[in-house]
Amino acid sequence: MIRMISRHGLLSTTSVAAACLTLLATAAQAQEAQTDQPAVQQSGESEPIVVTGSRIKRDGFDASTPVSVVGAEEVTRTGTVNVEELLSETPQFVPSTNGGASSNTVPGGTADVNLRGFGNTRNLVLVNGRRFAIFGPEQVTDINTIPAALIERTEVVTGGSSAVYGSDAITGVVNFILRQDFEGVEARAQYRTDAATWTPVYSADLTLGTNFSDGRGNVTVSAGYLKRKGITRGERGAWAFDSLEDGCIVPGSGSPNGAGTSFSSATGAACTAAGGELGFRAGGSGDIPTGRFSGIPLPGSAQSNAGLNAAYAGAGLTGMGSFGFTFDEAGSAVRPAVDPADRFNLGPDNYLIIPQERWMINSFGHYDFNDALTGYVELHFSNNRVNARLAPSNLGVPTLFDVNNPYLTPAMQEVLRQLDLRETGTTTVSAGSASYTTTPGDGRAVLTAGKRYSEVGPRMADMRRNVFRVATGFRGDLGSASENFLTDLSYDVYYSYARSEETTILRNAISRSRIQASVLRGAGGAAPVCNIFGLSIDDACANAIRVTATNTTVAEMQVASGNISGNLFRLPAGQVGFSAGVEWRRTEAVFTPDSFLASGDVAGFNPGLPTGGSVSAKEVFGEVRVPLIHNTPMIDSLVVNGAFRYSDYDLEGVGGQWTYLGGLEWRPVRDVTFRGQYQRAIRAPNVGELYGGTRRSFESAIDPCSDRQPAAQRTDAVRAVCAATGVPAGNIFGAIQPNTIIPTDFGGNPNLGPEKSDTWTAGVVFTPSFLPRFRASVDYFNIELEGAIAALGGGLSNTLNLCYNVIQDAGSEFCRAVQRDPANGEIRDPFAVQVRNANTGALKTSGIDIAARYSVPLGGGNLSFATDWTYTYEFTLTPLQAMPDIKNYCAGSFGSTCGEPLPNWRGNSRITWDAGDFSASLRHRYIGSVTNDRYILPTRAGSATAPALNTLVYPVLKAQHYFDLSLSYDFAKGMQIYGGVNNLTGNEPPIVGSPQIRSNTYPATYDVLRQEFYIGAVLKF
């Protein structure tokens, strides 16, 4: 068999040529057959085995579903210590933005699988063909808990596999086959570092195994340790240090890798027309350490009055704009705040690579009582500890101050007194769990206080996860019921239990209610506890407002399954294979947030409500493989296969569900095999989607009513919707949204139904007899998913876009989800966009996977070549199935709507020379170019208001070529040393501004540490 791949988009002639030349070059060299892929044997070369994608034993090439294999040697050749690294560089997978070493999120510290870009919940992870442990209400497997040192091979089926394996297998299955029949001792140690920061990563593994009872039994135990130190963006420096955003800069002052000098607030063509240049500028948060105070009438405006104008003049604030005013560090001098010069740089404090420490132990045992009965057990325990680090907590909300605040100058006290006098009626100020009221002339005034509480310290999250799993069962051969009926029968019955426990300790958050209380005078007119003007917070204030919170999450999964397989009867063309079985499965999860977080009183970390529930299913399944014709002209072999599964869920919105598949394999001659398959798959909603409490997240998005809306889209229709949804007329297309991070509420829905998908694959496998060591395959894939469970509209950006730019109806569900501050129209805490779960959308992807293998004797050794490419023709998001004409064609793009880069082409090629004790291998990784979705989406939709490409800042991320070199040497029996360099040429990643605010690039997709060096040793005896 040969590896397959996946990606998204429009055809690149250079990439096509490269792939074709690769295949032609390998085909030109004819030698003796050989393969190092365990699941890829030719018919007749070996005993039938079970290949992922079916429960029927057969040869690897006799499969209608493409199965790709990543061998154990890739772990050593890439210096892999976490399995996430191995898969993220494989072309079928889209790196996950919210998982892995670069995911500095809370909660976080996990690594997941994202097949075909459909997300981490729409594929199934197996270990030795069985479901593994899950974490959290999302019921996803953390592949950080899978030991890289024990991997024998990884088999990947890309395409719906629910009929064979059950729910979740929408885009396919990843099956990690572990070594579990080991004899002897193997010790492995590795050290890795990077050229950018020289930060170390250590790992060590020890595996012991022994046979007993004359080989009838075996026990294998493996322990592993990993320690990775963290790297902040400040430590990385260069392009990672500043928080970059798209802007208008002084010509010649910027570069594709850094910030220029701000020229004006103009965007697009207006920038260049005014004499500026499009580029990156240093941006960041509008909540700053010295405090930024706004939300008050502008000097000379209709909302002001003579007394207030005079107070502004006395304080030196006559020139103040909508960005408000700020203080000097001492908190005495005041001046108008300047945008973007006064913004806070979020970059240096945040982790680019999060630290991790992991202990893991795995044990496998089996005992053959007789041919018909083998008992087995699998045990796993891991302790995984990771940390996230974020910039200090901030709060930017209406805040009540005493007009005679002793920390203010008399001039500023007069400003507050005039603000108090111009109030009308009663004003209510909410502060977490507390609320206050103020009336005209009561000695208190309201300002929006945007403060970064740097004196409290950076936000830290300590996440500790323990995972335990046991699987035990019996398997064996039952022989045959008769000579020609029910032959070669075997069975497997098992029960597994897995439990994940996570404790997250959040430090240096702040309390909304405590801050409000601390800035007001105390009993008897005592001075406020906190002086938040300038950099004046002392230890007493920091201790008064600081909050430490603890969250806990527990997830459990139980599976009881049994199946029998063998041959039903013999046809002239061969045996009719079958498999049948039953399965019971139950998953449950409980998330218990800290009481502070549950109350919504905490700022600095996303609040959340308790979540708990369970999902169970009872299933019956079957599979059949029927050889119809063989050894006839133009039909060397013709085989059909089919499978079904009926699942009965205890969910009212799901109930009973059928999944099924049908496939065909036609080999006209022994050198060529055509294959195709159709599969219907489902995914039942998980606990988080069903029962998740409302949680608030702060997402990156562009408010279409702000000055960040592209000039071409500032139409009268958009203006009308902005006004109808609460934006004052004078603020529309103005600086009403000082932060690009917008509060959004997400939540569960217990009435969700299942997601359903249809997958078509068709391909051809070449195994030419005239070129025995050559294998190649080309496969077409097409996956369509309906009823996609997602936040309303597909997320914050899509909801805003649908409301203002597409539907333009203030009464639509998308516009009703938008809440704004009635004072100025800003979307800010506590006014959050309400985005709840629904079976709202659809996904579709299609493309071609290409793979080839070839090897040839050379120089006393063996030269082997392998290449895998994916061309993705289409990747389409339909936010709302009820409006099927509204589609986001994301292939070949990146950005705030389409997310992680989805290049049209992605591929790997490796050439390896094995010469006895010495091995050298060179790998090439290719990631195709992508274009900003702000151009791609409206252009592909035929919009007349699509921005011109040259009005966007660096809209194209160029294709990336990475080269990795690895070497190994066996200097004595059972002793090997190996090492290598990834990203040999030290490529820096492509940089983006506003579409990606977390680290100025996409660290899950691109290499961010320049060269990575590793060296390791293996000792076996």
Side-chain angles (χ1 to χ4, degrees):
M1 185 72 326
I2 300 165
R3 267 199 252 182
M4 304 291 90
I5 324 162
S6 106
R7 262 320 198 195
H8 323 285
L10 301 175
L11 197 59
S12 162
T13 55
T14 57
S15 299
V16 173
C20 292
L21 286 172
T22 295
L23 291 174
L24 290 173
T26 56
Q29 306 173 57
Q31 293 294 338
E32 179 182 348
Q34 177 178 315
T35 178
D36 60 356
Q37 302 282 354
V40 195
Q41 275 78 21
Q42 280 262 51
S43 294
E45 288 182 356
S46 67
E47 290 296 320
I49 60 175
V50 175
V51 179
T52 304
S54 173
R55 297 179 186 271
I56 300 174
K57 293 181 179 180
R58 75 243 192 261
D59 295 317
F61 264 112
D62 296 332
S64 58
T65 300
V67 181
S68 71
V69 178
V70 180
E73 67 280 354
E74 282 297 297
V75 174
T76 299
R77 289 173 179 167
T78 58
T80 295
V81 293
N82 271 330
V83 177
E84 63 180 273
E85 304 166 16
L86 192 65
L87 295 183
S88 66
E89 296 170 350
T90 304
Q92 293 102 326
F93 298 87
V94 174
S96 179
T97 301
N98 295 317
S102 60
S103 180
N104 186 37
T105 58
V106 182
T110 62
D112 50 50
V113 172
N114 186 6
L115 261 174
R116 302 292 191 197
F118 274 39
N120 60 2
T121 62
R122 297 188 177 105
N123 54 76
L124 184 59
V125 174
L126 307 176
V127 173
N128 295 329
R130 304 176 187 90
R131 290 177 184 253
F132 202 57
I134 59 171
F135 72 88
E138 298 80 12
Q139 302 171 201
V140 173
T141 296
D142 177 10
I143 59 175
N144 269 338
T145 60
I146 295 171
L150 283 182
I151 293 176
E152 182 176 292
R153 67 182 186 276
T154 304
E155 297 178 355
V156 181
V157 177
T158 54
S161 297
S162 288
V164 178
Y165 296 106
S167 178
D168 303 336
I170 292 285
T171 55
V173 174
V174 181
N175 189 9
F176 295 96
I177 309 298
L178 303 185
R179 296 184 296 168
Q180 52 183 322
D181 198 358
F182 182 80
E183 186 171 18
V185 177
E186 178 182 287
R188 177 185 295 262
Q190 181 179 294
Y191 170 82
R192 191 171 74 182
T193 190
D194 64 273
T197 67
W198 302 104
T199 301
V201 180
Y202 308 96
S203 66
D205 297 274
L206 179 65
T207 303
L208 305 94
T210 183
N211 292 325
F212 59 92
S213 295
D214 297 325
R216 295 168 63 185
N218 177 271
V219 174
T220 299
V221 179
S222 181
Y225 175 74
L226 165 69
K227 186 174 180 62
R228 177 180 67 208
K229 292 191 176 181
I231 302 172
T232 65
R233 288 174 54 182
E235 291 169 333
R236 175 60 179 89
W239 51 266
F241 188 87
D242 288 321
S243 295
L244 300 178
E245 66 177 21
D246 297 347
C248 186
I249 63 173
V250 174
S253 66
S255 76
N257 299 312
T261 303
S262 181
F263 181 79
S264 77
S265 61
T267 60
C271 169
T272 54
E277 178 180 271
L278 293 173
F280 298 136
R281 66 181 186 183
S285 173
D287 296 336
I288 61 181
T290 55
R292 183 181 63 84
F293 300 85
S294 60
I296 55 179
L298 298 183
S301 69
Q303 290 75 36
S304 187
N305 57 40
L308 184 56
N309 289 336
Y312 283 149
L317 296 179
T318 303
M320 181 182 66
S322 60
F323 203 56
F325 64 88
T326 187
F327 289 82
D328 64 0
E329 291 186 0
S332 55
V334 66
R335 62 172 175 81
V338 181
D339 187 16
D342 281 324
R343 289 184 176 273
F344 176 76
N345 182 13
L346 295 163
D349 288 311
N350 291 320
Y351 275 132
L352 179 66
I353 301 296
I354 61 174
Q356 178 187 15
E357 185 173 24
R358 180 185 68 200
W359 291 92
M360 185 186 302
I361 186 166
N362 291 272
S363 181
F364 309 93
H366 74 265
Y367 184 77
D368 301 329
F369 295 97
N370 53 52
D371 290 344
L373 183 63
T374 296
Y376 62 88
V377 63
E378 299 177 359
L379 296 170
H380 169 90
F381 176 78
S382 58
N383 173 269
N384 203 34
R385 182 173 180 176
V386 298
N387 297 97
R389 174 184 169 124
L390 302 167
S393 297
N394 65 299
L395 193 62
V397 296
T399 306
L400 200 59
F401 294 90
D402 295 301
V403 299
N404 61 351
N405 187 297
Y407 305 122
L408 293 175
T409 63
M412 282 306 303
Q413 289 177 347
E414 177 62 16
V415 170
L416 265 63
R417 190 176 75 84
Q418 291 297 328
L419 288 172
D420 174 28
L421 294 175
R422 68 163 295 281
E423 292 172 355
T424 58
T426 300
T427 302
T428 300
V429 176
S430 297
S433 57
S435 63
Y436 300 78
T437 59
T438 180
T439 56
D442 67 351
R444 289 180 172 179
V446 180
L447 296 85
T448 296
K451 171 79 172 177
R452 181 73 53 175
Y453 291 83
S454 54
E455 297 91 338
V456 174
R459 287 166 287 172
M460 304 296 294
D462 182 357
M463 294 163 280
R464 309 172 187 182
R465 179 181 295 112
N466 292 327
V467 178
F468 169 77
R469 176 182 181 264
V470 58
T472 183
F474 297 94
R475 61 175 180 255
D477 295 327
L478 299 177
S480 302
S482 66
E483 184 176 350
N484 297 312
F485 181 68
L486 293 177
T487 61
D488 298 327
L489 299 177
S490 62
Y491 72 95
D492 190 347
V493 179
Y494 75 93
Y495 168 80
S496 69
Y497 171 80
R499 179 182 175 92
S500 299
E501 300 174 342
E502 180 178 286
T503 300
T504 301
I505 302 173
L506 308 173
R507 296 185 173 90
N508 294 339
I510 52 178
S511 165
R512 300 169 187 271
S513 60
R514 293 180 185 179
I515 287 175
Q516 176 60 87
S518 70
V519 299
L520 295 174
R521 284 188 175 274
V529 174
C530 283
N531 175 6
I532 68 170
F533 310 115
L535 299 181
S536 305
I537 291 180
D538 56 18
D539 290 342
C541 173
N543 292 332
I545 64 177
R546 181 184 287 115
V547 171
T548 297
T550 302
N551 297 336
T552 60
T553 305
V554 177
E556 295 181 333
M557 180 169 63
Q558 300 179 73
V559 181
S561 180
N563 77 283
I564 184 170
S565 62
N567 300 316
L568 284 173
F569 51 84
R570 176 177 290 277
L571 292 176
Q575 295 279 7
V576 176
F578 83 99
S579 175
V582 295
E583 183 168 305
W584 170 81
R585 186 171 63 254
R586 177 182 173 86
T587 57
E588 54 187 309
V590 176
F591 167 65
T592 306
D594 186 274
S595 58
F596 278 114
L597 290 177
S599 70
D601 190 53
V602 171
F605 294 102
N606 294 338
L609 294 177
T611 296
S614 65
V615 177
S616 65
K618 294 176 287 187
E619 301 177 322
V620 58
F621 55 88
E623 187 178 357
V624 65
R625 184 170 184 274
V626 183
L628 299 178
I629 306 173
H630 78 139
N631 294 338
T632 62
M634 293 306 296
I635 306 180
D636 184 69
S637 174
L638 181 64
V639 179
V640 296
N641 69 294
F644 80 93
R645 179 179 290 250
Y646 178 75
S647 305
D648 183 17
Y649 287 88
D650 66 344
L651 301 173
E652 184 175 344
V654 180
Q657 297 290 327
W658 287 94
T659 54
Y660 42 86
L661 66 83
L664 175 71
E665 306 148 34
W666 170 41
R667 189 165 62 208
V669 295
R670 291 191 61 82
D671 293 1
V672 179
T673 300
F674 295 96
R675 59 189 178 189
Q677 191 169 86
Y678 163 77
Q679 303 194 47
R680 161 57 65 95
I682 70 157
R683 183 181 77 87
N686 59 47
V687 170
E689 292 163 336
L690 290 162
Y691 310 116
T694 302
R695 62 181 178 86
R696 180 157 296 172
S697 179
F698 292 82
E699 306 287 317
S700 173
I702 291 174
D703 181 354
C705 299
S706 73
D707 57 4
R708 290 183 171 85
Q709 171 87 328
Q713 293 177 283
R714 299 181 190 180
T715 64
D716 290 340
V718 175
R719 180 181 294 274
V721 180
C722 292
T725 54
V727 183
N731 290 354
I732 297 174
F733 303 141
I736 65 164
Q737 201 68 43
N739 291 323
T740 59
I741 306 173
I742 294 176
T744 310
D745 283 349
F746 298 87
N749 178 358
N751 297 313
L752 289 171
E755 298 179 340
K756 298 182 179 180
S757 72
D758 295 304
T759 299
W760 297 87
T761 59
V764 57
V765 179
F766 301 98
T767 56
S769 56
F770 61 86
L771 195 60
R773 289 174 176 255
F774 180 73
R775 305 283 186 272
S777 66
V778 179
D779 286 278
Y780 166 79
F781 62 87
N782 185 309
I783 306 173
E784 294 188 54
L785 171 71
E786 295 184 346
I789 299 170
L792 178 70
L796 173 62
S797 291
N798 277 344
T799 296
L800 293 173
N801 184 55
L802 286 168
C803 170
Y804 294 98
N805 297 326
V806 180
I807 299 175
Q808 297 180 335
D809 177 3
S812 71
E813 59 183 326
F814 305 104
C815 289
R816 293 199 307 271
V818 180
Q819 299 184 8
R820 293 181 178 274
D821 185 340
N824 56 20
E826 182 181 348
I827 307 173
R828 60 162 180 77
D829 198 15
F831 304 97
V833 182
Q834 301 298 303
V835 183
R836 305 300 178 93
N837 291 339
N839 291 99
T840 181
L843 292 167
K844 181 180 180 181
T845 187
S846 63
I848 297 173
D849 291 332
I850 305 170
R853 301 288 184 273
Y854 185 61
S855 63
V856 58
L858 179 69
N862 187 73
L863 184 69
S864 61
F865 175 82
T867 189
D868 299 274
W869 292 81
T870 289
Y871 164 66
T872 303
Y873 172 74
E874 179 180 8
F875 190 95
T876 303
L877 302 160
T878 304
L880 190 64
Q881 282 184 265
M883 303 181 68
D885 293 334
I886 301 175
K887 297 181 183 296
N888 295 321
Y889 298 98
C890 288
S893 73
F894 74 97
S896 58
T897 298
C898 295
E900 201 78 18
L902 298 168
N904 304 139
W905 280 97
R906 196 175 183 209
N908 289 338
S909 297
R910 181 181 289 282
I911 186 167
T912 303
W913 183 49
D914 287 307
D917 296 335
F918 177 76
S919 175
S921 187
L922 180 67
R923 180 175 66 162
H924 169 242
R925 291 179 281 135
Y926 175 81
I927 302 171
S929 64
V930 288
T931 302
N932 195 317
D933 60 19
R934 290 179 60 191
Y935 169 80
I936 288 287
L937 297 183
T939 300
R940 291 178 178 171
S943 173
T945 60
L949 200 61
N950 62 3
T951 63
L952 299 176
V953 176
Y954 301 114
V956 178
L957 306 184
K958 294 181 180 180
Q960 299 295 306
H961 295 267
Y962 297 108
F963 293 92
D964 308 323
L965 176 66
S966 62
L967 305 170
S968 67
Y969 180 66
D970 299 332
F971 59 89
K973 184 178 180 180
M975 302 178 69
Q976 181 188 75
I977 187 170
Y978 66 91
V981 184
N982 294 329
N983 189 7
L984 189 63
T985 55
N987 291 15
E988 295 279 23
I991 306 305
V992 296
S994 297
Q996 217 289 350
I997 65 166
R998 291 184 178 176
S999 52
N1000 299 335
T1001 188
Y1002 292 93
T1005 295
Y1006 303 110
D1007 290 16
V1008 295
L1009 298 176
R1010 299 203 295 264
Q1011 295 94 339
E1012 288 189 88
F1013 308 94
Y1014 61 93
I1015 186 169
V1018 181
L1019 175 64
K1020 301 178 183 179
F1021 56 89

